[in-house]
Amino acid sequence: MTDDRLSALRNEVVDHRFKGLPPDAEGLTVAELAAQRRNLFGGGFTTPVLALSAEALEHNLAALAHYTGRHGLAFAPHGKTSMAPQLFARQIERGAWGITVATVPQARVCRAFGVRRVFLANELVDAAGLRWVAGELAADAGFRFVCYVDSVRGVELMDAALRAVDAASPVDVVVELGAGDGARTGVRREAEGVAVARAVAATPCLRLVGVAGYEGEVPEPSVERVTAWMRRLTSLALYLDGMGLFEGLDEIVVSAGGSAWFDAVTDVYEEFGSPLSAPVLKLLRSGAYVSHDDRHYRALTPFNRVPQEGGLRAAFTLWAQVVSRPEPGQAFLNAGKRDAPVDLGLPRPLRVRDALTGAERPAEGLTVTALSDQHAWLRVEQDSGPEVGDWVGLGLSHPCTVFDKWQLIPLVTDDGTVTDYVRTFF
C-alpha cells in the first residue's frame, strides 16, 4: 500500500467533524493528538465516544493470519466492514492477498491507498464503474481486479461498456453460484453458471478466472448445508475446467468464506485439493473478524465450533453517560441510533465507571431495551444502579454498522491510553 497516503491521514486536522474527540484538540493534527497519549476517561473526550481496543485488534489480526496460513488459504478480508485503509494495511502486512469490496466507491478507496489486489464481490454492470476499472488496469500493470458475473445479460453489459472505451486488457471475472432459491445473488443452477461462463469466453473483454459465492446466504444454514453448497461450488469449478474454460490461466480462483462458516468452507477446500488444470487460489473473504463484536458474531463465529483453531475478541466499546434517572428502574444514556447499530441486536452494557471516583464495576442488572436517535433506554434492575454522570461501556453488535457511524475512532490500550486514531471512509 502507499505509505505516503497513509501518513497523510495523520496530518488531517482534528475539528468538529469528528465526534467524541476532545474539543480542546481542535486544530491539532491527528498525529499531534495521538502523540499526547491522552486518557480516554480523563483526557477531555466527550461522550458518546467509541473505543477500539488496541490489544483486541492485534489479537484478531493475528488470529485470522494464523488460521489462513495454517490451512494454506489466500485471504482477502472484506473491506466494507471497516473501510479503514489503516486496517487494510495491517491486514496486508499480515499476509492478506488483497481486499474484498462490494462497490466501485469502495474499490476506489482501496486504490487511493495503493491496494494492489481488489476482489469485488458483486456483478459490475455500471458502465462508469467499468470505465474506471479499465483505466486502473491500463495505468497499473501490477493491479489485479476480479469481480462476479451471474447472468448472460450482465456479461453483455460489461462487454459493451469495455468495448466502448477500447479496454486495453480484459477484466477478470468469476461465476457466482448462489446459495439457493430465495437467497441473495448468484446463479441458482449449475447449468446457468455454464451459460454465463460460455458467454464470458465469447468476449475478449472479459476473462473467466474461477468461481465464487457466499455461503452465509444458504437457507437455514448449518455445517452440513454449507458443506453441501461448498461442494457444489468446487464441482462447478471442476466442470468448467473440464470444458477448457480456464485454459491458459496461471491460477484458478475459488472463493467463499464469510465470518460465520469459514470452518466448513475450509474443510471443503482441504478435501478439494488442487485437481484442476492450474493451481487453485483458495480465497477466503471474512471481514467482521477485525473487530468482532459482543453479540451477533460472538454467537456465530466458527471458533465456537473449533476452539482449538483460535478465537476472537470483541474490540469495540461505546462509552456513553447517564444523562437522566427520571424514575426508579429507568435510566437514559446519551448514545443512540446515530452512534450504535440496531440492525443485529441492541447494545449490551458491559461496565459502569463512576463519574466521581473512576472506579469500574460490571454492569450487572442493566439492559438496553431500545435506542432513540440520541438516547439509549436503560432498564435498571438494582437499587444501586448507575447515577447521573456515570459512564457506561456498551458492547455492540455487527461491526459493519459500527464502523460506518464513526469517521475517526480512538485506538485505546487496556489502561485507557489513546495511542492512535483510525480513519474510515464510508
Side-chain angles (χ1 to χ4, degrees), residues 82-103:
S82 71
M83 288 308 298
Q86 293 151 290
L87 300 187
F88 296 169
R90 293 183 65 173
Q91 290 169 319
I92 290 170
E93 288 168 2
R94 289 281 188 174
W97 173 90
I99 299 295
T100 296
V101 298
T103 67

Side-chain angles (χ1 to χ4, degrees), residues 243-297:
M243 295 177 64
L245 294 175
F246 297 140
E247 185 177 354
L249 296 181
D250 294 328
E251 65 181 11
I252 298 168
V253 177
V254 180
S255 180
S259 296
W261 300 101
F262 59 73
D263 56 332
V265 168
T266 298
D267 287 345
V268 176
Y269 274 145
E270 292 184 339
E271 71 180 34
F272 178 50
S274 298
L276 303 185
S277 60
V280 177
L281 183 75
K282 302 170 184 177
L283 190 63
L284 198 71
R285 306 193 309 272
S286 310
Y289 84 98
V290 70
S291 67
H292 199 46
D293 72 9
D294 271 296
R295 294 199 64 168
H296 184 73
Y297 285 105

Side-chain angles (χ1 to χ4, degrees), residues 119-136:
F119 186 100
L120 195 152
N122 254 328
E123 184 169 64
L124 178 55
V125 294
D126 176 2
L130 286 162
R131 287 195 296 270
W132 174 80
V133 169
E136 289 294 300

Side-chain angles (χ1 to χ4, degrees), residues 33-34 37-40 45 410-413 416-421:
L33 180 56
R37 299 179 69 84
R38 298 194 186 195
N39 185 274
L40 186 71
F45 291 83
L411 187 67
V412 185
T413 60
T417 302
V418 180
T419 60
D420 206 350
Y421 298 82

Side-chain angles (χ1 to χ4, degrees), residues 33-273:
L33 180 56
Q36 292 181 358
R37 299 179 69 84
R38 298 194 186 195
N39 185 274
L40 186 71
F41 306 106
F45 291 83
T46 61
T47 57
V49 60
L50 181 67
L52 179 63
S53 165
E55 291 85 358
L57 173 64
E58 176 60 26
H59 172 88
N60 295 343
L61 290 167
L64 260 291
H66 292 158
Y67 180 87
T68 53
R70 189 162 52 246
H71 291 281
L73 305 177
F75 189 33
H78 211 316
K80 56 93 175 173
T81 295
S82 71
M83 288 308 298
Q86 293 151 290
L87 300 187
F88 296 169
R90 293 183 65 173
Q91 290 169 319
I92 290 170
E93 288 168 2
R94 289 281 188 174
W97 173 90
I99 299 295
T100 296
V101 298
T103 67
V104 168
Q106 292 172 2
R108 291 184 64 199
V109 172
C110 289
R111 289 300 289 156
F113 288 88
V115 175
R116 304 304 303 276
R117 298 190 184 109
V118 174
F119 186 100
L120 195 152
N122 254 328
E123 184 169 64
L124 178 55
V125 294
D126 176 2
L130 286 162
R131 287 195 296 270
W132 174 80
V133 169
E136 289 294 300
L137 291 170
D140 183 356
F143 175 43
R144 179 82 190 276
F145 177 87
V146 182
C147 71
Y148 283 175
V149 287
D150 78 348
S151 65
V152 173
R153 172 67 171 166
V155 171
E156 293 170 347
L157 290 170
M158 294 181 75
D159 181 50
L162 294 168
R163 285 180 185 274
V165 296
D166 193 22
S169 58
V171 170
D172 287 350
V173 297
V174 290
V175 173
E176 182 194 5
L177 178 66
D181 293 338
R184 205 161 60 188
T185 55
V187 299
R188 296 319 198 224
R189 304 288 180 267
E190 282 77 356
E192 298 167 14
V194 172
V196 172
R198 283 176 167 156
V200 171
T203 171
C205 292
L206 301 175
R207 183 175 70 151
L208 184 68
V209 299
V211 298
Y214 174 51
E215 74 290 341
E217 285 288 313
V218 169
E220 299 179 3
S222 64
V223 169
E224 293 74 22
R225 286 175 179 267
V226 169
T227 297
W229 174 84
M230 188 66 191
R231 286 174 178 156
R232 287 180 59 202
L233 184 68
T234 55
S235 294
L236 179 59
L238 282 164
Y239 189 81
L240 296 179
D241 192 45
M243 295 177 64
L245 294 175
F246 297 140
E247 185 177 354
L249 296 181
D250 294 328
E251 65 181 11
I252 298 168
V253 177
V254 180
S255 180
S259 296
W261 300 101
F262 59 73
D263 56 332
V265 168
T266 298
D267 287 345
V268 176
Y269 274 145
E270 292 184 339
E271 71 180 34
F272 178 50

